[in-house]
Amino acid sequence: MNKYVVERNIPGAGKMSLSDIRTVARRSVNVLAGLGVEIQWVESYIVGDKIYCIYLASDAELIREHGRLSGIPVSAIELVARVIDPTVAEVQV
């Protein structure tokens, strides 16, 4: 499966209560269960008026379908080309 970063523009996302976040997460998980094993929500980051989500999926269209079915808007989807971390800076011998 491919890894994607999904941008969701949701005004006031950063001010959502834990109860509101839990409601949205449950709706997302319920839809994911119906879509099968070709899509997986890994984690999300809430910042200001946006939520950035990491998904594993067979293709971007499946993520768009999840957004349509869950009612959670998808503003952009980007395929992750490579994942890096501080160990990339280490010298290999």
Side-chain angles (χ1 to χ4, degrees):
M1 283 202 286
N2 298 309
K3 185 177 280 190
Y4 295 91
V5 176
V6 179
E7 180 183 81
R8 302 176 187 276
N9 293 320
I10 301 174
K15 296 178 182 175
M16 291 170 61
S17 69
L18 181 55
S19 176
D20 291 338
I21 292 168
R22 187 171 286 126
T23 298
V24 171
R26 283 184 181 143
R27 191 169 59 216
S28 174
V29 168
N30 288 337
V31 169
L32 285 169
L35 290 174
V37 298
E38 294 297 313
I39 182 170
Q40 179 185 346
W41 172 30
V42 177
E43 62 187 349
S44 296
Y45 303 91
I46 301 174
V47 290
D49 289 336
K50 295 180 186 271
I51 300 177
Y52 293 95
C53 305
I54 307 301
Y55 276 82
L56 300 176
S58 56
D59 58 60
E61 186 53 39
L62 195 52
I63 296 170
R64 286 186 191 89
E65 180 68 6
H66 171 265
R68 281 190 290 275
L69 294 173
S70 66
I72 305 169
V74 173
S75 305
I77 301 173
E78 295 292 337
L79 177 63
V80 174
R82 181 171 286 184
V83 177
I84 63 168
D85 63 31
T87 63
V88 172
E90 294 177 6
V91 177
Q92 301 292 322
V93 252

